[in-house]
Amino acid sequence: MSDEFLLLNPGPVPLTDDVRGAMDEPLVSHRSTAFEATYERAQRDLDYVFSQSTLDGRTTGNGTSLILNGTATMGMEMAVANLTDADSEIVALVNGKFGRRFKRIAERHARITPVEVAWGESFDLDAVDRAITDDTDLVTMVHNETSTGLLNPVAEVGELASEHDALFVVDGVTSIGGDAFHIDDWHVDVALTDAQKALAAPPGISAIYVTDRAAAAATGESAPFYEDLDWHLRKSEDNQTPFTSAVPLFRALAVAVENIREEGMDTRIRRHRRQSRAFRAGFEAFGLDSFPTVEGPTQLSNTLTAIDLPESVKESPEAFFDAVGERNVSISGGQAHLGGEIFRVSNMGNLTAEQVLRGVRTVGESLTEIGVDCPVTDGVDAARQQLEL
Ligand code: PLP
């Protein structure tokens, strides 16, 4: 196999050499000043990512970035469990696997009103409006639904949450670090992301942005022990976490977010948008259909692409995924009931234009190999046009 392995799953995403190298340095104690310096650097650059993903140079948000010793699900639960108690009312928006996960977490901690549509469909904002009332304490939603490739309307839902003074917790796991995110304008109280997605750091840790309003609302008494928000906030003042930190992962994250600051969030967001347009144009030229349906303010994701598999491929999808794998490229299928129905590719992180073109070509060649009529060159050309600066 001559081509290098190419990871195009919507997380984890490829690491640059400097990020990988950061994990290989001699270990230090998680209570050392060396670790504190790492935490401080990572936190400073995460503040930048969370607060300057605005595309217009504005800084947004008034709060604190925390690095968590756990994946994004820890951040989701930390937000819900610290901001509610058993008597709280949560409105949980579900149009994919990760919206459903937020709902499941919410159910364990409070009373919930779900607003659900089929995975891949846009939310009906009138239904959301009806669900959020003056009794609502907190609203959960996913910005970029990784399972379906939809970019959900956080601004509009944030407005509704704000009208009723409800706290608004947003999963930006596959948007923050790769797409625009406006904490203030969208009335977001807690935003969360994961190291292994658009930040392009290794899996295992995550980050959460807690506005001062959310910090003040943390209930304290019902806080879980490991995910105690107030404790994390206090420890972060000393560039520490309450428990043993995953030192090599924190170091890698610090380098990854420093790289983002060097690239600049506006440049990075524009690059991600260009690359997702390229994937879409390529697949469209192959005659493939986008999986999700967009209506109203909902958009297609700028960080990953979800495509409906041709009917003939759905009969035995393994042959397609095997052909992709044989070309040393890794892509994702659908999750849960979407298994065998769709495929997903990511453009999160630091992909080059050549890697995007290779992704498009690989899908085209793999479809051709299993007997689907697919104009490979047309697709690659269509993608290339989108990548031109
Ligand atoms: N939220 C979204 C949108 C995700 O894509 C993921 C992971 O893919 C998660 C949350 C949860 O991440 P983890 O399973 O790593 O905790």
Side-chain angles (χ1 to χ4, degrees):
M1 192 80 57
S2 56
D3 278 327
E4 223 174 70
F5 175 63
L6 178 59
L7 191 59
L8 291 180
N9 301 85
V13 307
L15 303 181
T16 52
D17 290 347
D18 53 353
V19 170
R20 232 178 23 225
M23 287 187 280
D24 208 19
E25 286 168 19
L27 199 57
V28 295
S29 158
H30 61 286
R31 297 295 178 215
S32 64
T33 53
F35 175 79
E36 287 167 3
T38 300
Y39 190 102
E40 193 173 12
R41 277 173 43 225
Q43 193 185 37
R44 178 199 60 194
D45 292 337
L46 279 167
D47 280 345
Y48 166 77
V49 171
F50 277 115
S51 63
Q52 286 188 38
S53 296
T54 51
L55 272 183
D56 55 14
R58 274 178 314 129
T59 301
T60 168
N62 189 6
T64 309
S65 304
L66 295 175
I67 308 158
L68 306 180
N69 279 288
T71 61
T73 305
M74 175 177 173
M76 295 164 90
E77 181 148 65
M78 184 182 217
V80 169
N82 281 272
L83 297 176
T84 61
D85 57 31
D87 294 327
S88 303
E89 297 279 351
I90 299 180
V91 171
L93 273 64
V94 181
N95 66 345
K97 176 177 164 148
F98 297 101
R100 184 181 70 180
R101 185 171 302 177
F102 240 158
K103 182 188 94 169
R104 286 178 169 172
I105 290 170
E107 278 165 350
R108 294 224 177 169
H109 296 278
R111 292 203 295 259
I112 72 144
T113 303
V115 180
E116 290 195 60
V117 294
W119 291 17
E121 282 183 15
S122 303
F123 289 115
D124 169 1
L125 287 174
D126 291 335
V128 179
D129 190 14
R130 284 192 299 276
I132 303 175
T133 69
D134 285 345
D135 292 331
T136 307
D137 296 293
L138 186 135
V139 177
T140 62
M141 85 179 285
V142 176
H143 185 207
N144 193 74
E145 182 48 81
T146 319
S147 58
T148 65
L150 272 190
L151 191 61
N152 285 318
V154 171
E156 285 73 6
V157 176
E159 193 63 47
L160 296 172
S162 154
E163 280 167 17
H164 296 279
D165 208 25
L167 289 165
F168 190 31
V169 178
V170 181
D171 170 338
V173 165
T174 47
S175 57
I176 292 168
D179 205 356
F181 197 90
H182 294 215
I183 290 171
D184 289 337
D185 303 348
W186 297 351
H187 305 284
V188 176
D189 293 296
V190 176
L192 54 105
T193 190
D194 210 339
Q196 51 136 338
K197 308 282 189 182
L199 301 180
I205 61 174
S206 61
I208 186 167
Y209 188 88
V210 185
T211 60
D212 294 347
R213 175 170 123 112
T219 49
E221 279 165 28
S222 63
F225 191 81
Y226 193 71
E227 296 160 350
D228 184 328
L229 181 58
D230 192 47
W231 197 358
H232 278 75
L233 284 166
R234 278 186 280 115
K235 290 301 280 186
S236 85
E237 287 170 15
D238 298 325
N239 299 309
Q240 282 286 349
T241 68
F243 311 107
T244 309
S245 283
V247 177
L249 300 182
F250 277 62
R251 283 171 160 169
L253 178 67
V255 176
V257 285
E258 190 165 35
N259 290 346
I260 294 180
R261 199 156 56 96
E262 275 168 18
E263 181 178 12
M265 265 321 297
D266 50 349
T267 308
R268 190 173 176 88
I269 291 168
R270 291 197 172 89
R271 178 171 59 76
H272 278 75
R273 291 185 176 181
R274 221 168 30 245
Q275 293 184 337
S276 68
R277 280 199 302 272
F279 270 124
R280 282 206 290 273
F283 298 147
E284 214 171 279
F286 291 164
L288 303 175
D289 295 324
S290 171
F291 166 68
T293 50
V294 287
E295 265 173 59
T298 303
Q299 295 170 33
L300 289 175
S301 166
N302 296 308
T303 53
L304 70 103
T305 307
I307 295 289
D308 203 17
L309 283 168
E311 290 307 317
S312 62
V313 179
K314 286 181 186 170
E315 283 161 22
S316 56
E318 307 76 30
F320 167 65
F321 291 104
D322 287 351
V324 171
E326 278 158 18
R327 287 166 173 78
N328 222 8
V329 174
S330 177
I331 65 171
S332 290
Q335 294 170 297
H337 62 276
L338 296 179
E341 296 289 315
I342 66 172
F343 75 87
R344 296 173 301 141
V345 294
S346 147
N347 58 289
M348 286 183 280
N350 301 298
L351 288 190
T352 62
E354 277 313 310
Q355 288 173 316
V356 173
L357 294 177
R358 185 170 158 213
V360 174
R361 192 170 49 245
T362 299
V363 167
E365 288 174 358
S366 304
L367 288 171
T368 306
E369 184 183 312
I370 60 166
V372 179
D373 188 18
C374 184
V376 180
T377 310
D378 291 355
V380 174
D381 287 347
R384 186 177 285 112
Q385 273 179 24
Q386 296 296 330
L387 291 166
E388 279 161 11
L389 296 173

